[in-house]
Amino acid sequence: MPADGPVSNRIQSSLPTFNTKVDDYLRFAPLVAQVSMSLGGVKGRSESRWQVLATDALATTMMVGMTGGMKYIINRPRPNGEEHSFPSGHTATAFMGATLLAHEYGHKSVWIPIAGYSVATATGVLRILNNDHYISDVVVGAAIGILSAELAYWAADAIFNNKKLFKSR
């Protein structure tokens, strides 16, 4: 992305000593909230806790496969000089969790998805401020997280509710 270098340079010149590890933990918050609510007995969209956990496992597997595969195939250097920048796995994890949380419990309150996506966005912003990722790494990571959660819900609904994944004409 053409803006990656200039934006990264501007941030580093404005905040040269910024460094936090909050994003290393924050990325898990939406998924932890969703699993905790399910295990705590809060009724969500899914029929059972097993369906929630299966959906989470499917989403995580897809997200890790996509981000890990792309990181090693593309091997784009990070702004800080380290390897494997593209896409942001932290951001993918956060947005996957936020999407799973929104799907499962968004009908309970509008604040649940707002909280989940706010935490996910904060994770992505912190990855940029920490000089670990470019903006495009974070945007693609977010897209992968959302996509993996959406695909997992689609597949789990088909499996648990005996719906066909592909309808014949």
Side-chain angles (χ1 to χ4, degrees), residues 30-41 52-53 56 101 105:
L31 185 58
V32 168
Q34 186 244 15
V35 171
S36 297
M37 290 172 75
S38 176
L39 294 177
V52 172
L53 294 175
D56 293 353
L101 179 65
Y105 296 108

Side-chain angles (χ1 to χ4, degrees), residues 151 154-159 163-167:
L151 289 173
W154 174 68
D157 280 350
I159 293 165
K163 294 178 184 174
K164 292 183 179 178
L165 289 175
F166 302 102
K167 295 180 181 177

Side-chain angles (χ1 to χ4, degrees), residues 134-156:
Y134 295 106
I135 290 175
S136 60
D137 302 341
V138 167
V139 170
V140 172
I144 289 171
I146 293 167
L147 177 64
S148 61
E150 294 290 345
L151 289 173
Y153 260 99
W154 174 68

Side-chain angles (χ1 to χ4, degrees), residues 17 24 28 34 37 40 43 47 52 63 81 87 98 112 122 126 138-141 146 165 169:
T17 60
D24 289 338
F28 297 115
Q34 186 244 15
M37 290 172 75
K43 179 68 178 137
E47 296 294 321
V52 172
M63 184 272 301
I112 292 173
L126 288 172
V138 167
V139 170
V140 172
I146 293 167
L165 289 175
R169 294 182 182 186

Side-chain angles (χ1 to χ4, degrees), residues 8-27:
S8 180
N9 292 338
R10 176 74 175 181
I11 289 170
Q12 289 312 303
S13 66
S14 299
L15 301 166
T17 60
F18 185 88
N19 186 15
T20 184
K21 298 296 178 195
V22 172
D23 48 321
D24 289 338
Y25 307 101
L26 197 59
R27 67 180 157 158

Side-chain angles (χ1 to χ4, degrees), residues 79-116:
N80 63 15
E82 294 177 6
E83 295 182 323
H84 308 300
S85 180
F86 185 85
S88 170
H90 282 67
T91 308
T93 301
F95 274 90
M96 177 198 71
T99 304
L100 293 169
L101 179 65
H103 261 284
E104 199 61 37
Y105 296 108
H107 67 281
K108 299 274 186 190
S109 170
V110 69
W111 293 106
I112 292 173
I114 289 171

